[in-house]
Amino acid sequence: MLLLVPAAARAAGIYRSVEGEGLRVTMDAEWGSQLAPGYLPVRFDITNTNAARVIEIVVDGNRVTMGGRLYGYTAARTAIVQTVRLARGDRVRLTVPVPILGDSQSLQFRIREDGRLLHELGGTGFQSGAPADDSSVLIAADTSTPFGRVAAGWPRAVSPSRSGPFLHAAPPSGGAASLPSFDFVLDPARMPTNWLGFTSMRAVFMGPMEWRRLSDEQRSALRTWTACGGDLVLVDGDFSMLPRVGSYSPVVHASGETVPYFLGHVHVVKAETIVGSGLGSVLSGLPSVHVADWALPTTRAFEWGSGTERGFRLPIPGIGQVPARAYLAILLLFSVFIGPVNYLFLARRNRQALVVLTTPLISVVFVVLLATYVVAGEGFGIHGRAVSLTVLDQRSQAAATRASISLYAAGRTPSAGLRFPRDMAILPIGRDGRSSTDDIRVDLSESQRFASGLVRARAPSNYEALSFRTARERLVFARDGDQLTVVNGLGTPVAKLWIRTADRAYSLTHPLAAGGKATLSVSRGVAESLIEAGYPLRSKLAALSSTQPQHSYLALLDHSPFWQPGISGVDERASFHLVLGLVEPLP
């Protein structure tokens, strides 16, 4: 029954204010009711009237993933801690990004100080594993504006065909229109200042007046989310609201116009188009100039939810394979030595009674031998493999990166867990290709530290990582007579390179070291040949060649400066990093 409750609400979450113990706390956790894997943005406004202090925002939750081995589902826990330092009289506004995974999730919020409970802020629940088309749409609208008044009737209603994993009941006699909506309208003033919260949304719709009323932090959060793969729909607006990226021309479609923005897209549509066609129809007609598999929410990827080899999303060479012949050989030697050899050795010396000593000694020797063989084969380090795509705009010095990562801790689990920047989206993936079913604990006090749940000893670990950052890395191209030269300023060797100019294409004939210079040759092949057949996620990468704009390049790297594994010293094997670089037009 608790799992069914969120489905009946227009928007999941709570809005609550409490006062006491020298604190005034307002928590705004209202968000969509059907969310894709991502983050829930919980907005806090905290005022301290006592002396300087350190408090903790604690989030405890339970999540359920359908399709588990026990009773058809798997249950797991999520624990989040955020430390807040307050001076006397301080007023702090912050957004706490809470990872949401599985098919359904419930959360409880508390304020603690020195281990003592100060305030119970209540709880909320929602569906958190919705497919992309069934994920909530955020409509940022002020009811006092013309856009806000017309957008109030846009949210889509829950129906049997768009019901999620726990909503299969037939609609009441009133029809679909009487059912609760799972899209929601939010006042611009309540928009989060952290982009991670938008990762659980299908799209964001807003008008030009609403855009102007956002703070600089809120606009930055929307730009970052769009750059990492989001669909930002500007209703009755224009593309000047965001800076242009690359040399893309707007794509005209039935609902309006679209331009890529790093990994995401900005769409301009008219309000009357939405009123006439409906929000769902307009949403389904929005094109993806880039491959939709790299867009948000992550469930838009074709391989999301599919099984992987031995639990790895990306099989790591030399890891996870059972050396059956070696193990059988060691077992055979053990059987021979502990049996016939041991007996004959003692019988010739007429000391059969010593078998009570030689048998455990031989067992210990072979245990040590087996352990030594395992350590020699895998070591104690962490092995990893990654496939990443980075869109690098060299003119604006910014880069958006999406990476799929598989890790294997050959020894024990890292004691400090994995540590990432606070503004990087990390989405754990289970061994079946869906959301992780492990208990997860995250400390957001200084960074985004996954203290547990993201990587386990001698077990496959997978996650998706998304980030957007300032990037001064670049490839520098220049004309040298009839030739084109390149200088590698990416900080890592370039294995392959393909650049498209206004009139022809060029390619690199041999690998180029970091800081090196090379002359490119005119290419008559296709950019798709950069990616070898049979490579994991090849179709997602190769499809970029068909949408590559003029004055851009595709660079293949063995190691990438644009992603972080969360821990140092990772033994990276057979990784594949592709950079789509947007450059100034060449003379």
Side-chain angles (χ1 to χ4, degrees):
M1 292 301 296
L2 289 176
L3 296 177
L4 292 172
V5 168
R10 174 188 172 101
I14 53 176
Y15 185 97
R16 185 178 181 187
S17 296
V18 296
E19 187 170 354
E21 301 282 353
L23 288 175
R24 289 195 297 270
V25 180
T26 299
M27 183 186 73
D28 185 356
E30 291 189 354
W31 206 238
S33 59
Q34 291 188 198
L35 305 178
Y39 289 78
L40 173 73
V42 185
R43 289 83 75 197
F44 285 91
D45 187 338
I46 304 174
T47 301
N48 176 38
T49 58
N50 277 359
R53 64 205 301 184
V54 178
I55 65 171
E56 289 181 335
I57 300 172
V58 180
V59 185
D60 291 313
N62 295 297
R63 66 182 190 273
V64 174
T65 300
M66 304 304 293
R69 296 180 180 178
L70 183 62
Y71 305 117
Y73 69 89
T74 301
R77 295 186 59 82
T78 300
I80 313 295
V81 176
Q82 166 80 67
T83 299
V84 182
R85 300 181 181 277
L86 299 167
R88 180 186 291 273
D90 269 359
R91 182 180 182 182
V92 176
R93 295 184 177 92
L94 74 159
T95 300
V96 178
V98 179
I100 52 174
L101 307 165
D103 290 316
S104 182
Q105 189 154 335
S106 61
L107 299 171
Q108 292 288 332
F109 303 91
R110 301 178 179 88
I111 301 291
R112 293 190 318 203
E113 183 178 23
D114 296 328
R116 183 171 64 93
L117 179 65
L118 297 183
H119 295 289
E120 283 276 6
L121 299 177
T124 183
F126 42 81
Q127 293 186 45
S128 51
D133 291 339
D134 292 346
S135 301
S136 297
V137 168
L138 167 60
I139 303 172
D142 187 336
T143 55
S144 64
T145 67
F147 170 75
R149 288 190 287 271
V150 71
W154 290 354
R156 297 167 293 171
V158 175
S159 65
S161 61
R162 182 180 289 112
S163 56
F166 301 114
L167 295 176
H168 296 293
S173 57
S178 64
L179 290 171
S181 57
F182 63 93
D183 300 325
F184 66 109
V185 179
L186 194 69
D187 189 280
R190 297 173 60 192
M191 295 280 281
T193 57
N194 188 309
W195 76 274
L196 298 180
F198 296 106
T199 55
S200 56
M201 295 283 100
R202 171 59 183 91
V204 174
F205 284 65
M206 69 174 2
M209 293 184 65
E210 282 75 9
W211 176 264
R212 289 192 291 269
R213 293 182 183 184
L214 296 178
S215 67
D216 290 340
E217 287 182 315
Q218 290 171 323
R219 288 198 197 100
S220 178
L222 272 174
R223 289 192 189 102
T224 300
W225 165 74
T226 307
C228 289
D231 280 311
L232 177 60
V233 183
L234 305 176
V235 183
D236 294 333
D238 57 71
F239 294 118
S240 64
M241 295 167 65
L242 275 81
R244 294 289 294 273
V245 174
S247 57
Y248 294 98
S249 298
V251 175
V252 180
H253 50 90
S255 301
E257 294 182 322
T258 295
V259 294
Y261 188 76
F262 292 92
L263 291 171
H265 296 84
V266 179
H267 312 273
V268 171
V269 301
K270 297 294 185 182
E272 55 263 28
T273 302
I274 304 176
V275 172
S277 302
L279 184 67
S281 177
V282 170
L283 193 64
S284 62
L286 297 178
S288 293
V289 180
H290 287 321
V291 183
D293 292 305
W294 294 103
L296 287 171
T298 55
T299 48
R300 294 175 72 179
F302 74 89
E303 83 283 359
W304 188 269
S306 60
T308 54
E309 183 179 348
R310 301 185 183 276
F312 287 101
R313 189 172 177 84
L314 300 172
I316 304 175
I319 300 297
Q321 302 294 327
V322 178
R325 293 184 179 181
Y327 285 166
L328 286 175
I330 294 175
L331 179 61
L332 180 60
L333 288 175
F334 173 73
S335 301
V336 171
F337 272 88
I338 204 169
V341 173
N342 185 24
Y343 175 79
L344 292 175
F345 178 80
L346 296 177
R348 288 184 177 182
R349 289 164 175 75
N350 199 24
R351 296 184 176 181
Q352 291 92 331
L354 293 179
V355 71
V356 297
L357 296 177
T358 57
T359 297
L361 285 175
I362 294 173
S363 300
V364 169
V365 169
F366 272 88
V367 168
V368 172
L369 175 64
L370 185 61
T372 302
Y373 176 80
V374 172
V375 170
E378 296 183 348
F380 285 104
I382 295 182
H383 310 285
R385 189 181 189 183
V387 171
S388 73
L389 170 64
T390 298
V391 177
L392 170 63
D393 184 13
Q394 296 188 174
R395 289 172 292 184
S396 63
Q397 297 185 351
T401 301
R402 170 83 173 267
S404 295
I405 301 103
S406 290
L407 296 180
Y408 181 80
R412 60 187 181 90
T413 304
S415 57
L418 271 62
R419 191 183 300 270
F420 303 93
R422 289 179 57 88
D423 58 351
M424 178 180 287
I426 303 297
L427 304 178
I429 300 174
R431 286 171 285 281
D432 61 352
R434 303 179 66 198
S435 298
S436 173
T437 56
D438 293 328
D439 291 344
I440 291 177
R441 184 176 184 274
V442 185
D443 188 344
L444 299 174
S445 301
E446 303 296 334
S447 60
Q448 189 175 184
R449 183 172 70 89
F450 282 77
S452 63
L454 189 57
V455 60
R456 294 195 302 168
R458 301 195 179 278
S461 300
N462 311 287
Y463 64 92
E464 292 270 315
L466 299 93
S467 63
F468 181 70
R469 69 171 177 85
T470 301
R472 293 181 172 82
E473 296 88 348
R474 61 183 54 239
L475 292 180
V476 181
F477 299 92
R479 294 285 186 184
D480 186 4
D482 294 334
Q483 296 179 325
L484 186 65
T485 63
V486 59
V487 176
N488 181 8
L490 292 177
T492 187
V494 175
K496 296 180 181 180
L497 175 65
W498 174 285
I499 178 170
R500 183 184 176 191
T501 65
D503 56 348
R504 65 186 64 182
Y506 297 84
S507 62
L508 191 66
T509 57
H510 57 274
L512 180 61
K517 181 178 180 179
T519 300
L520 302 177
S521 61
V522 176
S523 177
R524 294 179 176 83
V526 293
E528 187 175 345
S529 61
L530 288 173
I531 304 105
E532 298 177 359
Y535 201 88
L537 307 183
R538 180 180 185 272
S539 62
K540 291 173 62 172
L541 296 165
L544 292 169
S545 62
S546 62
T547 60
Q548 182 186 356
Q550 293 181 356
H551 312 298
S552 69
Y553 62 83
L554 291 172
L556 176 62
L557 315 176
D558 293 328
H559 303 279
S560 174
F562 300 106
W563 78 284
Q564 302 179 35
I567 191 172
S568 60
V570 173
D571 175 23
E572 197 174 347
R573 301 184 180 183
S575 290
F576 187 103
H577 303 284
L578 190 65
V579 177
L580 171 60
L582 308 175
V583 299
E584 294 283 357
L586 297 173

